[in-house]
Amino acid sequence: MKNPLNLSLKNLTRQKRRNAILASAIAFGFLVVTFIDGFTAGLVDNMEAIITQIAGGTVLVSGYEKLPASEEGGKPKLINIVRDGEYIKNLLEKSDIEYQAYSKYTLLNGQMIFNGRKSMVGMYGRDLSDKELLDSFQVVEGSLEDLDKKADALIINTKVADNLNLKVGDQIIFTGLTIYGQNNVADFTIAAITKANSLVDSAKVFANIDSVNEFSGIPSGGYSTFTVILKNKKDQLKTALEIEDLIRKDGFNVSSRAQAVKTNPNNIDKGIDKQFVSNDIMWEGTKYGVECLNDAIPALKTVMSIVHTVTTVILIVILLIVMVGVSNTYRMVLYERIREIGTMRALGMEGKDTRFVFTGEAVILCLLGAVLGMILSFILMFVVHMIPVRIESLAMFLHKGHFTFKLSAGTILLQYLLLIILTSLAVRKSAKKAAGMSPAQALRTVK
């Protein structure tokens, strides 16, 4: 008697048209599932990347000083400043934290003025030689080369440029407050105009950190926030706790996540802020605040959870529909092969081998269809990725004007495992019935 697996493979060459239709249905189901899974994961990944860019990193370490009230009965002043520009950097490099990159920035809110027009912006002082930062821009006009050597260089986006009718080379006036609350004015020259990624960051502009520090009153080398981009975004909570612990062990004042969880369990970011803004809390020198991206934007976790849940539901629904077709097909196959089953049983095939022939044939057919569907989905993903998207409302979900797709090897393996399990269940009744037939009964059956 032939090996049951060989029989399963041989049976696939019978009823080629029916098997082709069933495999095509499975291929279509897996094409849809794989495409939706990669598409939604890509949307979430791009959205998270843009939010990370807006926030500056996955884990954020800010420094604050509390200045006594300038007059009796007044309120103490909180200023956002880290004077020791190397401390957090050295702390990170000496630790076992796996990070992709780090940077620092100084944020300054103020007003840009050009030819009588005004626009409120958030000016980020950054290292304009930072490759991670520069690669995130889509340049529309101008150049990003050697901007770190130009003290007055300013990078704006198309939204700001349209609001003020600005072009590369134009000189603007920027007005704002120093960290001590004093008015200040400076001139900047538009060096590059980039595409606005989303409505969220449409009011962001970038300048050299040394120039912004000088404007703000922060000493050279200082900053307001140190940012870390981790290799694995899932480690952000663990990393935030580790950095907090390292700072505390060095004897410096630092925020307490444990306290924030107690006071604001649903909004950790607000709970950490309370440890700085309260007028009843005073300290000497710098107090560090450690947060992660999910603290600052708690809704992101909810969005990601909803997206993955919806994707999983779609996957299960499509597979169940396909499995109904598989189940009906193999009921017909059982009826067609009754006498054949009787012959095999009469020649000595055991019931478990008969069951394996049916189940193996169905599983192999479904796997072939799934592989075909996945290949087709890759082709479709490539085509969709190559199409430029210019819809502004979708900019938050795009990478440089294109949809991107992200597939997880673990998710694909899980999908195939689920397919094998559901296929086995779909043909279980037919396979069990075939295995339980007596040779005499099967051979007497008239079709």
Side-chain angles (χ1 to χ4, degrees):
M1 182 58 61
K2 289 186 178 181
N3 186 301
L5 180 60
N6 290 336
L7 281 173
S8 297
L9 290 170
K10 185 178 178 181
N11 285 340
L12 288 174
T13 62
R14 302 164 62 178
Q15 295 291 342
K16 294 179 181 177
R17 179 177 293 180
R18 184 171 63 196
N19 286 343
I21 292 173
L22 183 57
S24 297
I26 295 165
F28 177 76
F30 252 74
L31 183 153
V32 173
V33 166
T34 306
F35 182 85
I36 290 175
D37 190 43
F39 183 70
T40 53
L43 292 183
V44 172
D45 199 56
N46 289 336
M47 180 176 69
E48 191 171 6
I50 289 175
I51 292 173
T52 301
Q53 181 191 335
I54 293 169
T58 331
V59 177
L60 315 176
V61 185
S62 300
Y64 297 91
E65 292 181 4
K66 208 70 169 285
L67 304 181
S70 55
E71 55 186 34
E72 190 175 348
K75 296 180 180 179
K77 184 173 182 58
L78 181 69
I79 62 173
N80 185 193
I81 182 173
V82 176
R83 299 181 187 274
D84 186 349
E86 299 297 310
Y87 172 60
I88 301 297
K89 172 188 169 185
N90 293 336
L91 194 74
L92 184 68
E93 291 178 343
K94 290 176 183 177
S95 72
D96 296 326
I97 295 169
E98 294 186 359
Y99 59 88
Q100 178 180 320
Y102 58 76
S103 63
K104 54 188 179 182
Y105 68 79
T106 297
L107 173 59
L108 182 64
N109 293 311
Q111 191 174 62
M112 284 175 53
I113 303 172
F114 179 74
N115 284 347
R117 294 188 178 187
K118 300 178 181 180
S119 180
M120 296 298 298
V121 297
M123 181 179 286
Y124 283 76
R126 294 285 300 268
D127 176 4
L128 296 188
S129 65
D130 185 344
K131 190 175 183 304
E132 289 276 343
L133 174 67
L134 300 181
D135 286 347
S136 69
F137 293 129
Q138 284 181 269
V139 180
V140 175
E141 185 182 344
S143 172
L144 300 177
E145 293 182 7
D146 299 325
L147 294 189
D148 56 312
K149 299 174 183 176
K150 302 173 183 176
D152 67 340
L154 189 66
I155 302 172
I156 64 173
N157 59 53
T158 48
K159 281 286 185 184
V160 175
D162 292 342
N163 287 342
L164 297 181
N165 195 25
L166 288 167
K167 298 186 181 301
V168 169
D170 288 341
Q171 190 174 66
I172 61 96
I173 298 171
F174 181 81
T175 66
L177 299 176
T178 69
I179 59 173
Y180 301 104
Q182 300 162 334
N183 289 310
N184 203 355
V185 179
D187 294 329
F188 288 91
T189 302
I190 308 302
I193 299 175
T194 63
K195 184 175 178 59
N197 283 330
S198 66
L199 297 174
V200 179
D201 68 339
S202 61
K204 286 180 67 174
V205 300
F206 295 86
N208 276 295
I209 188 168
D210 290 337
S211 300
V212 176
N213 281 348
E214 183 180 353
F215 186 102
S216 303
I218 295 177
S220 179
Y223 54 85
S224 59
T225 302
F226 188 94
T227 67
V228 184
I229 298 178
L230 300 174
K231 289 183 178 179
N232 187 349
K233 291 174 285 190
K234 294 180 181 178
D235 290 339
Q236 55 183 280
L237 175 57
K238 170 188 166 186
T239 303
L241 288 168
E242 187 173 345
I243 292 176
E244 180 185 305
D245 189 52
L246 289 171
I247 294 173
R248 189 173 288 113
K249 284 180 179 177
D250 279 347
F252 290 104
N253 210 341
V254 65
S255 59
S256 169
R257 173 173 291 273
Q259 182 182 337
V261 170
K262 288 181 181 178
T263 56
N264 289 77
N266 297 322
N267 193 331
I268 308 300
D269 180 54
K270 188 175 180 180
I272 291 175
D273 283 347
K274 281 183 178 179
Q275 298 173 30
F276 294 91
V277 299
S278 174
N279 293 328
D280 299 328
I281 302 174
M282 295 293 293
W283 63 85
E284 295 289 333
T286 302
K287 180 176 181 178
Y288 293 95
V290 185
E291 300 174 73
C292 54
L293 188 64
N294 287 339
D295 295 333
I297 313 166
L300 182 61
K301 289 171 67 178
T302 305
V303 170
M304 292 176 68
S305 177
I306 291 172
V307 167
H308 289 309
T309 301
V310 170
T311 304
T312 303
V313 170
I314 291 173
L315 166 64
I316 293 173
V317 169
I318 290 178
L319 286 180
L320 287 176
I321 292 171
V322 171
M323 288 308 113
V324 170
V326 172
S327 178
N328 290 334
T329 297
Y330 276 86
R331 284 178 186 171
M332 293 173 58
V333 168
L334 173 65
Y335 175 73
E336 292 170 356
R337 297 181 188 170
I338 287 178
R339 301 196 69 178
E340 180 185 320
I341 293 168
T343 302
M344 290 189 297
R345 294 298 308 278
L347 291 173
M349 178 177 277
E350 296 182 9
K352 64 178 182 179
D353 291 333
T354 307
R355 186 186 301 114
F356 182 86
V357 170
F358 267 77
T359 306
E361 181 183 343
V363 169
I364 293 170
L365 180 63
C366 289
L367 286 175
L368 288 174
V371 170
L372 175 61
M374 187 160 292
I375 293 171
L376 293 174
S377 72
F378 288 158
I379 296 171
L380 181 60
M381 288 177 191
F382 177 77
V383 172
V384 173
H385 171 68
M386 296 304 294
I387 301 172
V389 181
R390 295 184 175 87
I391 303 174
E392 191 171 301
S393 58
L394 295 177
M396 190 76 174
F397 305 99
L398 306 176
H399 176 68
K400 296 189 174 181
H402 293 266
F403 286 117
T404 60
F405 297 83
K406 184 180 179 183
L407 291 173
S408 163
T411 301
I412 292 173
L413 288 174
L414 183 63
Q415 289 174 356
Y416 274 86
L417 180 61
L418 186 60
L419 173 68
I420 292 171
I421 293 171
L422 289 178
T423 303
S424 301
L425 291 174
V427 299
R428 182 174 180 271
K429 187 175 181 180
S430 298
K432 187 177 179 181
K433 192 172 182 179
M437 282 184 179
S438 68
Q441 177 192 357
L443 288 171
R444 285 197 304 266
T445 301
V446 178
K447 295 187 285 182

